[in-house]
């Protein structure tokens, strides 16, 4: 068994050496997949042991921390939106068969750099889970939540290591914009109850999520009908994510806004209990120590 594993690892190293993008050789966490893998394993260990350690402790009150965290993520998300645009999506990219520019031109390096930041942000976002643990919101640490945070660093390490730019970054451009809006929502909600009157647009956030995933699937599907040498494996990974999250958010939207009288729990990196009246308006029960709803993407 050990020999089989060793041979597999050798083949992986050979594959990486043959196909890797040398421009990121010296970048943080890019030389090998193993440092990022170690961080994911640490994350999973904390998810496993954290609730046990907090079991007999009082939950932490983290309003100021959550405010700072969420508004820092607003700035990071805005930066990524701008540079995904400058790197190509608002600066010459075609929305068809857009190949990766592996040159060292300023525009190509802008795109590669923001791809790395998008990858690195997936480790920062693991703090969403840690806040759940510290505030003893164990029920919000679902399998889907943990799976999402654990798998994204792997898929995006591969993306930056091999295809840092081009067709496959369209979903990251959209996702960064959605995160920009969502973290504004979370930050405002964390401030306190007096901000709730400004959060009427929560329902439209879910609609924007659904539009985002629809656009991602449509964008990916075109490669079924046109000739394009962009690696298809990355297209299938992105399209699969888009489909899975579209179904999940559609289920949430139906439960939260279309089923009359059905109370809905909405999760952010705080906690929120909002009863809906079936028409999208908030009912009378609201926990103000919230950062909004469950972020799946």
């Amino acid at each position: 068994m050990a020999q089989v594993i060793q041979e597999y690892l050798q083949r992986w190293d050979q594959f990486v050496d043959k196909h890797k993008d040398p421009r990121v050789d010296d970048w943080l966490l890019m030389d090998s997949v193993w440092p990022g893998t170690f961080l994911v394993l640490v994350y999973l260990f904390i998810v496993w042991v954290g609730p046990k350690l907090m079991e007999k402790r009082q939950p932490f009150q983290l309003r100021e921390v959550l405010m700072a965290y969420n508004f820092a993520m607003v700035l990071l998300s805005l930066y990524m939106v701008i540079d995904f645009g400058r790197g190509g999506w608002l600066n010459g990219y075609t929305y068809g068969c857009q190949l990766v520019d592996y040159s060292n031109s300023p525009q190509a390096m802008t795109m590669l750099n923001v791809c790395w930041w998008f990858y690195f942000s997936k480790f920062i976002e693991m703090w969403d889970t840690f806040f759940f643990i510290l505030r003893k919101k164990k029920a919000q640490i679902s399998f889907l939540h943990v799976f999402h945070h654990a798998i994204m660093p792997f898929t995006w390490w591969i993306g930056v290591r091999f295809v840092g730019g081009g067709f496959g970054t369209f979903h990251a451009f959209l996702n960064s914009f959605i995160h920009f809006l969502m973290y504004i929502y979370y930050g405002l909600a964390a401030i306190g109850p007096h901000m709730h009157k400004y959060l009427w647009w929560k329902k439209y956030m879910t609609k924007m999520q659904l539009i985002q995933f629809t656009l991602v699937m449509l964008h990916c599907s075109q490669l079924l009908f046109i000739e394009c040498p962009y690696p298809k494996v990355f297209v299938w990974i992105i399209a699969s994510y888009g489909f899975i999250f579209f179904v999940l958010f559609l289920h949430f939207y139906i439960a939260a806004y279309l089923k009359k009288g059905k109370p809905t729990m909405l999760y952010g990196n705080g906690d929120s209990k909002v009863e809906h009246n079936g028409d999208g308006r908030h009912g009378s029960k609201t926990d103000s120590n919230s950062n909004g709803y469950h972020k799946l993407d």
Side-chain angles (χ1 to χ4, degrees):
M1 177 62 72
Q3 184 177 358
V4 172
I5 294 175
Q6 184 177 3
E7 290 178 357
Y8 173 80
L9 294 177
Q10 287 176 348
R11 291 179 182 177
W12 168 254
D13 289 338
Q14 291 170 359
F15 176 84
V16 172
D17 288 339
K18 181 179 180 180
H19 299 284
K20 68 180 181 179
D21 185 342
R23 295 177 299 172
V24 299
D25 280 348
D26 298 326
W27 293 19
L28 180 65
L29 299 176
M30 281 290 105
D31 183 58
S32 168
V33 72
W34 302 118
T37 301
F38 174 75
L39 292 177
V40 171
L41 291 175
V42 170
Y43 168 77
L44 293 174
F45 177 75
I46 293 174
V47 169
W48 174 65
V49 75
K52 301 179 188 296
L53 296 176
M54 287 297 299
E55 192 171 7
K56 296 182 179 180
R57 291 178 169 84
Q58 291 296 316
F60 286 86
Q61 300 299 319
L62 300 174
R63 175 169 295 181
E64 291 79 10
V65 174
L66 291 174
M67 288 169 54
Y69 169 80
N70 286 314
F71 285 119
M73 292 303 294
V74 168
L75 296 178
L76 177 58
S77 299
L78 178 60
Y79 159 75
M80 291 190 291
V81 171
I82 292 172
D83 269 22
F84 274 123
R86 290 198 312 126
W89 291 110
L90 299 177
N91 190 23
Y93 265 25
T94 172
Y95 288 84
C97 180
Q98 178 63 53
L99 301 182
V100 180
D101 181 356
Y102 288 103
S103 75
N104 289 310
S105 70
Q107 183 175 351
M109 293 307 297
T110 294
M111 177 58 76
L112 184 62
N113 183 71
V114 73
C115 284
W116 181 88
W117 272 107
F118 190 82
Y119 160 72
F120 188 69
S121 72
K122 302 308 156 191
F123 294 104
I124 300 175
E125 289 172 5
M126 289 178 177
W127 278 94
D128 288 348
T129 313
F130 301 154
F131 293 138
F132 284 151
I133 293 171
L134 292 173
R135 303 187 70 224
K136 298 187 71 170
K137 306 299 177 184
K138 185 178 179 180
Q140 299 178 7
I141 309 174
S142 65
F143 169 80
L144 176 61
H145 175 91
V146 175
F147 174 78
H148 164 70
H149 284 292
I151 200 67
M152 284 297 287
F154 288 109
T155 57
W156 264 89
W157 184 88
I158 294 172
V160 178
R161 183 76 267 195
F162 300 110
V163 284
F167 186 92
T169 60
F170 176 69
H171 78 285
F173 177 47
L174 291 181
N175 189 246
S176 296
F177 176 68
I178 294 297
H179 276 202
F180 168 69
L181 297 177
M182 286 189 347
Y183 278 111
I184 289 176
Y185 178 92
Y186 297 158
L188 292 175
I191 293 174
H194 60 284
M195 298 302 296
H196 289 174
K197 60 185 177 182
Y198 302 112
L199 302 179
W200 52 267
W201 44 281
K202 173 173 46 139
K203 177 180 179 179
Y204 301 99
M205 282 297 305
T206 307
K207 289 184 177 181
M208 283 189 283
Q209 294 276 20
L210 292 170
I211 293 171
Q212 171 196 196
F213 300 130
T214 300
L215 290 175
V216 168
M217 289 186 290
L218 289 174
H219 184 249
C220 289
S221 66
Q222 65 180 299
L223 291 199
L224 297 174
F225 308 102
I226 64 174
E227 289 294 327
C228 182
Y230 186 88
K232 297 298 189 296
V233 61
F234 298 106
V235 178
W236 282 109
I237 291 173
I238 296 166
S240 298
Y241 265 75
F243 176 75
I244 291 170
F245 289 128
F246 177 84
V247 171
L248 291 169
F249 268 86
L250 182 61
H251 178 268
F252 165 77
Y253 183 82
I254 292 172
Y257 299 108
L258 301 183
K259 289 188 177 180
K260 288 188 176 182
K262 183 176 180 60
T264 304
M265 292 288 288
L266 306 177
Y267 302 132
N269 46 40
D271 62 302
S272 179
K273 301 176 183 178
V274 182
E275 278 197 342
H276 291 276
N277 298 320
D279 60 357
R281 295 175 298 172
H282 290 179
S284 59
K285 294 184 179 180
T286 304
D287 180 349
S288 63
N289 297 327
S290 164
N291 282 338
Y293 52 85
H294 185 32
K295 177 168 66 64
L296 296 176
D297 67 313

